């Protein structure tokens, strides 16, 4: 048997663990192209040890670019019967979201496109190029019953590509023409572009806007929501909307144990900026979002990853058998949004006490459903 000896005296010690080159995920929320649940063959990133010895001049990984795929959609309005969601109808002009929020519950929907809920979700964006025309047609049907429509319920309707495609602006123009009430939810300052449409509609009680601010910690936000607007910029957006007379609320969702710990400060800052309402949800980890979020925790917060996941299990009141099986999420309508048990009750009390102190949620914004007329879809007007 031959033995080999290698002189390693001049070789620097390798790092304890390398999961993935950090340069390859700069500006992205997910760390890998996690395989989706329908794929048969899976591949894992394996470090062969050479990443620690990159020499000057060696080729570096190219930054990931975003690709936008135009889609001709077949329908615009999506209905839901979930009792824990405040709207029954929604319209989403995009699938996938370049903001890259690691906690996004919509990530698993990319699996239906045979794409990864990880990096593909934030780099392969599907734009429904005919969404405004479809919405006009569907709202113009005699069978349509006006109910609150939310724009951007799944993925952000003001993600970066909206600057060029203006699909969301097209939807707002249809709503304006149809006199149909709607709400928007975003974590982008891009909504300010459409103040010329939103302000007059708000004056007629036809729209309201909600801005998501998960934390005021800019460093955390950059890791968790890498391509969304900075927290201070979102606060400025709230102020701009409020000064334009648009009812604006703040979403402090999701609440992530031991990660987003400044809920009271966020509510205070949003209130001072002009928000009059607020809501929250707890972290939900359906389908592939569970391993994806664990991967993010191990990459950015390895020292507290186990504590975070244990508290998430507490929030969803999982029994010992479910915990032993590794389950971290209960999907029933009664508890999935706010959680249940001791820790969920404490979070609920913190939120309620802060809202009472600040005067948030004292008056509910009621949008007017009576102005809608189906005939406006074809510029027919109304005789009454």
């Amino acid at each position: 048997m031959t033995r080999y000896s290698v002189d390693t005296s001049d070789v620097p010690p390798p790092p304890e663990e390398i999961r993935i080159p950090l340069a390859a995920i700069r500006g992205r929320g997910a760390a890998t192209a996690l395989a989706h649940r329908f794929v048969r063959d899976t591949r894992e990133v394996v470090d062969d040890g050479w990443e620690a010895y990159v020499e000057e001049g060696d080729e570096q990984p190219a930054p990931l670019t975003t690709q936008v795929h135009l889609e001709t959609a077949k329908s615009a309005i999506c209905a839901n019967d979930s009792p824990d969601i405040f709207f029954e109808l929604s319209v989403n002009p995009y699938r996938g979201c370049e903001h890259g929020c690691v906690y996004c519950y919509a990530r698993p929907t990319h699996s239906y496109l045979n794409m990864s809920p990880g990096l593909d979700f934030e780099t392969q964006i599907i734009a429904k190029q005919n969404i405004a025309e479809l919405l006009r047609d569907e709202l113009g049907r005699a069978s349509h019953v006006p109910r609150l429509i939310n724009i951007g319920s799944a993925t952000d309707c003001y993600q970066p590509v909206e600057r060029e495609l203006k699909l969301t602006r097209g939807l707002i123009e249809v709503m304006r023409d149809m006199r149909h009430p709607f709400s928007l939810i975003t974590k982008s300052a891009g909504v300010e572009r459409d103040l010329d449409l939103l302000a007059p509609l708000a004056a007629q009680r036809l729209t309201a806007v909600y801005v998501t601010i998960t934390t005021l910690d800019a460093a955390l936000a950059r890791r968790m929501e890498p391509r969304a607007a900075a927290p201070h910029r979102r606060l400025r957006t709230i102020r701009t909307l409020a000064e334009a007379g648009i009812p604006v609320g703040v979403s402090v969702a999701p609440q992530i144990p031991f990660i987003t710990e400044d809920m009271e400060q966020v509510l205070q800052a949003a209130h001072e900026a002009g928000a009059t309402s607020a809501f929250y949800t707890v972290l939900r980890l359906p389908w592939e979002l569970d391993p994806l979020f664990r991967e993010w925790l191990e990459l950015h917060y390895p020292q507290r990853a186990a504590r975070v996941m244990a508290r998430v299990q507490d929030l969803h009141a999982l029994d010992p058998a479910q915990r032993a099986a590794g389950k971290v999420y209960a999907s029933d309508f009664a508890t999935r949004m706010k959680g249940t048990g001791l820790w969920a009750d404490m979070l609920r009390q913190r939120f309620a006490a802060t809202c009472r102190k600040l005067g948030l949620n004292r008056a509910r914004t009621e949008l007017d459903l009576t102005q809608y007329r189906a005939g406006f879809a074809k510029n027919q007007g109304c005789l009454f």
Side-chain angles (χ1 to χ4, degrees):
M1 180 177 179
T2 304
R3 294 180 180 273
Y4 298 91
S5 62
V6 180
D7 183 5
T8 60
S9 58
D10 295 330
V11 178
E16 295 182 2
E17 180 183 21
I18 299 178
R19 291 293 306 280
I20 186 171
L22 290 180
I25 61 169
R26 184 169 297 165
R28 300 297 179 181
T32 62
L34 181 78
H36 61 77
R37 60 189 180 278
F38 303 117
V39 74
R40 291 187 177 183
D41 300 322
T42 60
R43 295 174 175 83
E44 295 182 1
V45 176
V46 178
D47 172 45
D48 59 7
W50 290 109
E51 192 66 35
Y53 310 110
V54 176
E55 297 180 1
E56 186 176 354
D58 284 356
E59 184 177 351
Q60 297 296 314
L64 292 171
T65 58
T66 301
Q67 295 183 346
V68 179
H69 309 274
L70 298 180
E71 175 187 73
T72 301
K74 296 181 180 180
S75 63
I77 300 176
C78 179
N80 78 82
D81 57 358
S82 303
D84 53 357
I85 298 178
F86 71 89
F87 54 87
E88 298 178 66
L89 304 176
S90 62
V91 178
N92 291 285
Y94 303 102
R95 292 199 277 181
C97 185
E98 195 175 357
H99 285 165
C101 304
V102 70
Y103 52 73
C104 182
Y105 56 81
R107 281 183 175 271
T109 62
H110 245 45
S111 301
Y112 298 115
L113 305 175
N114 198 29
M115 295 183 183
S116 166
L119 288 173
D120 283 350
F121 180 81
E122 51 196 278
T123 60
Q124 304 295 322
I125 309 302
I126 312 299
K128 304 174 185 178
Q129 58 183 338
N130 62 331
I131 192 71
E133 292 81 2
L134 283 174
L135 180 63
R136 187 178 296 275
D137 178 67
E138 292 176 15
L139 292 184
R141 295 172 185 172
S143 60
H144 177 72
V145 177
R147 289 171 288 176
L148 176 63
I149 293 180
N150 180 263
I151 301 178
S153 61
T155 57
D156 205 302
C157 58
Y158 283 104
Q159 57 182 289
V161 69
E162 169 63 18
R163 298 169 191 158
E164 299 177 16
L165 298 185
K166 300 182 180 180
L167 298 182
T168 298
R169 184 173 178 86
L171 293 175
I172 296 173
E173 289 172 340
V174 172
M175 297 288 194
R176 176 201 60 193
D177 296 344
M178 305 289 292
R179 317 297 300 162
H180 199 293
F182 68 97
S183 61
L184 287 168
I185 185 165
T186 183
K187 51 173 66 76
S188 170
V191 66
E192 296 177 15
R193 179 202 64 188
D194 294 333
L195 282 176
D196 61 319
L197 297 176
L198 296 172
L201 291 173
Q204 299 166 53
R205 294 173 51 221
L206 289 173
T207 193
V209 176
Y210 298 88
V211 178
T212 299
I213 304 178
T214 47
T215 179
L216 298 179
D217 184 336
L220 169 59
R222 190 165 189 175
R223 298 186 195 105
M224 190 168 59
E225 310 157 335
R227 297 200 174 192
H232 72 273
R233 186 64 182 87
R234 295 182 226 179
L235 287 172
R236 196 164 87 193
T237 295
I238 290 178
R239 187 177 301 280
T240 300
L241 292 168
E243 290 176 349
I246 300 170
V248 58
V250 62
S251 163
V252 287
Q255 289 297 303
I256 306 175
F258 306 118
I259 300 294
T260 57
E261 292 290 275
D262 58 346
M263 178 177 67
E264 289 85 354
Q265 290 77 19
V266 173
L267 291 171
Q268 173 79 36
H271 170 67
E272 292 174 355
T276 57
S277 62
F279 69 91
Y280 79 97
T281 63
V282 298
L283 177 67
R284 299 189 287 139
L285 297 175
W287 298 107
E288 296 92 338
L289 193 53
D290 179 7
L292 189 75
F293 184 75
R294 291 176 188 264
E295 185 177 66
W296 180 85
L297 278 177
E298 291 293 342
L299 183 63
H300 295 286
Y301 299 99
Q303 75 283 359
R304 68 180 87 165
R307 293 178 63 210
V308 172
M309 297 310 298
R311 183 58 55 82
V312 171
Q313 290 178 317
D314 290 338
L315 282 172
H316 292 284
L318 300 178
D319 59 43
Q322 292 173 318
R323 289 171 177 265
K327 186 176 181 181
V328 295
Y329 170 57
S331 59
D332 61 287
F333 289 148
T335 62
R336 63 174 183 163
M337 294 295 193
K338 297 294 193 295
T340 186
L342 175 63
W343 295 109
D345 287 342
M346 291 179 63
L347 188 61
R348 189 179 296 108
Q349 291 173 27
R350 286 174 55 195
F351 177 81
T354 306
C355 286
R356 282 196 303 270
K357 175 183 175 182
L358 299 173
L360 293 169
N361 296 330
R362 284 184 178 173
R364 183 176 179 179
T365 300
E366 294 287 351
L367 300 184
D368 187 1
L369 296 170
T370 65
Q371 299 183 45
Y372 161 77
R373 295 293 185 274
F376 291 169
K378 300 179 181 179
N379 298 318
Q380 293 177 354
C382 181
L383 298 177
F384 305 99

